Amino acid sequence: MHPHHTSRPTVRRTTCTRSAGRSPLRALEESFLALATAAQPLTLPAHLVCEEPEQPVLPVDQIRTRLAHAATSPTLRQLTWCEVVRRAQRLGDPWDLVAVGMTVPVLRRMLARLACPAHVERAEVEQEALAAVTSAVSTVDAGTADVARELFAAADRAVNRLVYAARRRIEQETHQAVHLGRLTQSTARTACRAASPEVGSGEAEDEYAVLVRAVSAGAVGVAEAQLIARTRLDGEPMQRLADERGVSVRQLYRHRAAAEQQLASYLRHQMRGQ
């Protein structure tokens, strides 16, 4: 079976062209629509989605639209999905792209309902869903009664595995960060008490002074010291600093953990030298 092409005027579509922050779903959608809106668009037999078609073929984007229409019977939907997946498996490019592109509207709705941790990037979730669908397209039995269900079930399993793993990761990182933070503060207080005889006023240095000394010694950078001071000592939320610095909360947790390890190592060295 070979791709069907027919001539029609090129349709201009306004899409987001920014490279920064572009989602995998959007990139796939643009590629899918490029096939459908070319001078000779990629088409499928119209009888796949129409009981009494007015024309023999329809561009793949129109097939997808009619596939989702309430008037399209379940039998025709199954027939269409089976045909698209069969072409993807037998013919490869561009039908493999078409098969995955047909899932985009449903994947968008699925991911919009997904309860996702704040530190997980949207693009990461989308990529995981698309990878699962792509894999399923190549392995699913094209003659099965409900090909679409198999594809979407694969995507659902993949994104839920990702979310579960991310939640477990953040729980572990939070536990480790809290433990390290307490250890760092305890070590800092010990260092402050040990340094008190050297302070002219007779008062022990506080944790802020320890951070200043660590920065002066090159143990941590100014940004790292500010991160520790604002979140550990001042109690500012990580989300606020993440927004200021243009990074994810997950990245900032890791950054702080690394800085606290450097600080703890510096303080232990200082105490040994006293």
Side-chain angles (χ1 to χ4, degrees):
M1 220 175 269
H2 297 286
H4 292 278
H5 293 274
T6 186
S7 296
R8 76 173 183 182
T10 301
V11 178
R12 288 177 175 264
R13 296 178 185 265
T14 304
T15 56
C16 179
T17 57
R18 292 178 303 168
S19 58
R22 246 175 81 177
S23 76
L25 280 181
R26 179 175 294 171
L28 174 63
E29 179 73 351
E30 290 177 356
S31 298
F32 177 83
L33 292 178
L35 293 173
T37 59
Q40 292 188 333
L42 194 64
T43 64
L44 281 165
H47 69 76
L48 290 173
V49 289
C50 302
E51 296 284 358
E52 298 179 359
E54 298 178 357
Q55 54 196 95
V57 296
L58 289 171
V60 289
D61 61 336
Q62 292 186 30
I63 292 286
R64 187 179 68 178
T65 299
R66 294 183 184 233
L67 194 63
H69 198 281
T72 304
S73 70
T75 300
L76 288 181
R77 287 196 185 96
Q78 291 174 13
L79 182 65
T80 303
W81 277 109
C82 287
E83 177 61 21
V84 171
V85 170
R86 188 178 296 113
R87 292 189 182 207
Q89 292 177 348
R90 292 181 180 178
L91 304 175
D93 186 58
W95 292 106
D96 47 1
L97 188 152
V98 170
V100 182
M102 297 282 276
T103 68
V104 169
V106 174
L107 290 181
R108 279 179 173 156
R109 293 194 296 272
M110 179 191 300
L111 299 183
R113 296 192 298 266
L114 183 68
C116 195
H119 67 283
V120 175
E121 302 293 340
R122 169 80 180 193
E124 185 180 2
V125 179
E126 291 183 3
Q127 189 60 51
E128 195 73 14
L130 290 176
V133 171
T134 300
S135 178
V137 164
S138 65
T139 59
V140 70
D141 180 0
T144 191
D146 203 339
V147 172
R149 183 185 295 274
E150 295 291 331
L151 301 185
F152 296 126
D156 184 64
R157 288 192 298 270
V159 297
N160 277 287
R161 278 197 303 268
L162 175 68
V163 169
Y164 175 76
R167 284 177 178 152
R168 290 285 297 164
R169 217 163 37 236
I170 195 63
E171 286 172 3
Q172 292 170 358
E173 289 174 359
T174 301
H175 175 75
Q176 292 169 356
V178 169
H179 175 72
L180 182 58
R182 288 171 179 167
L183 177 63
T184 301
Q185 289 182 13
S186 175
T187 307
R189 292 190 184 101
T190 301
C192 289
R193 288 194 294 270
S196 59
E198 301 174 6
V199 181
S201 62
E203 297 179 354
E205 293 179 283
D206 61 15
E207 290 92 339
Y208 296 96
V210 171
L211 285 172
V212 170
R213 267 209 328 273
V215 171
S216 299
V220 295
V222 174
E224 286 79 7
Q226 290 175 339
L227 175 60
I228 295 171
R230 291 177 62 182
T231 59
R232 291 297 192 191
L233 306 180
D234 298 343
E236 290 190 47
M238 290 289 275
Q239 186 64 60
R240 181 187 300 168
L241 274 75
D243 293 340
E244 288 179 7
R245 301 186 182 201
V247 299
S248 68
V249 174
R250 178 180 171 186
Q251 289 175 309
L252 204 59
Y253 268 115
R254 290 180 174 176
H255 192 186
R256 186 179 68 181
E260 288 178 335
Q261 287 176 348
Q262 293 170 354
L263 178 60
S265 176
Y266 163 75
L267 292 175
R268 285 192 296 268
H269 178 75
Q270 290 293 303
M271 291 172 64
R272 284 196 298 267
Q274 292 177 351

